[in-house]
């Protein structure tokens, strides 16, 4: 969708600083949680930024243990929350690889690239829930372990 809520690196940094240091910024915490939970993180500009798609795909759930039936063409969905090495994010992982930082063609078409749609990875039956691999949305190696462990808890039904 072209109607994406964008949180560029400077906005992300200022918002996180305010949320973490100023009690008066309580309302901003909701915006931060919205960004983290529904957004797709990348580091195309060398620092974390988020984009939240305004379409229905925002509400697609995670497909546990490789059951995702929707995703991006060309993204390796073999890495799941159960098979991932939580200590090391794969170099070529997620929507935009590290090699794309400051890529001239990528910068010129960044809105289209970051807002492209997901595709069915196999035939999806009528009434079947559309599921995605949320690990594909982790764009920062610093968040990798936390995200892998959180999804493992979701998928195993454990809380800690």
């Amino acid at each position: 969708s072209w109607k994406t809520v964008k949180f560029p690196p400077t906005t992300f940094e200022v918002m996180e600083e305010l949320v973490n240091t100023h009690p008066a910024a309580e309302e901003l915490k909701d915006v931060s949680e919205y960004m983290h939970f529904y957004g797709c993180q990348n580091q195309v500009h060398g620092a974390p930024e988020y984009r939240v798609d305004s379409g229905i795909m925002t509400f697609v759930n995670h497909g546990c243990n490789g059951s995702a039936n929707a995703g991006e063409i060309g993204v390796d969905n073999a890495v799941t929350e159960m098979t991932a090495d939580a200590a090391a994010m794969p170099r070529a992982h997620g929507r935009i690889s590290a090699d794309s930082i400051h890529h001239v063609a990528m910068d010129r078409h960044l809105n289209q690239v970051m807002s492209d749609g997901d595709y069915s990875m196999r035939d999806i039956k009528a009434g079947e829930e559309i599921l995605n691999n949320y690990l594909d949305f982790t764009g920062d190696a610093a968040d990798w372990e936390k995200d892998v462990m959180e999804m493992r808890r979701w998928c195993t039904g454990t809380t800690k």
Side-chain angles (χ1 to χ4, degrees):
S1 166
W2 282 75
K3 295 181 174 111
T4 301
V5 180
K6 300 174 207 166
F7 298 91
T10 52
T11 302
F12 170 76
E13 290 168 10
V14 168
M15 191 166 63
E16 292 298 291
E17 171 81 18
L18 289 171
V19 166
N20 293 324
T21 60
H22 297 289
E26 187 63 32
E27 291 86 15
L28 196 54
K29 192 175 204 176
D30 293 336
V31 176
S32 178
E33 288 175 1
Y34 165 78
M35 175 190 72
H36 282 289
F37 194 73
Y38 292 108
C40 177
Q41 184 192 67
N42 70 74
Q43 292 202 37
V44 172
H45 293 111
E49 65 180 274
Y50 283 81
R51 289 167 187 263
V52 181
D53 187 299
S54 63
I56 193 69
M57 292 303 283
T58 295
F59 303 103
V60 170
N61 289 317
H62 175 66
C64 292
N65 205 16
S67 63
N69 54 21
E72 185 176 348
I73 292 175
V75 172
D76 181 6
N77 283 308
V79 177
T80 73
E81 72 287 335
M82 297 309 209
T83 63
D85 178 355
M89 181 175 163
R91 176 167 164 63
H93 179 76
R95 302 286 168 149
I96 304 291
S97 73
D99 297 334
S100 64
I101 294 175
H102 304 300
H103 188 283
V104 175
M106 182 73 69
D107 283 348
R108 194 175 304 133
H109 301 285
L110 189 59
N111 284 335
Q112 295 96 323
V113 171
M114 292 305 299
S115 300
D116 70 345
D118 287 339
Y119 301 90
S120 63
M121 306 307 277
R122 60 172 175 75
D123 288 343
I124 299 174
K125 297 177 180 130
E128 181 180 358
E129 182 176 9
I130 298 174
L131 302 169
N132 211 316
N133 182 354
Y134 280 9
L135 287 180
D136 291 346
F137 300 104
T138 302
D140 184 0
D143 292 333
W144 179 254
E145 182 174 10
K146 175 185 68 69
D147 289 354
V148 169
M149 299 311 292
E150 181 176 30
M151 284 177 231
R152 282 184 185 166
R153 284 191 297 276
W154 292 350
C155 294
T156 61
T158 58
T159 56
K160 298 264 176 186

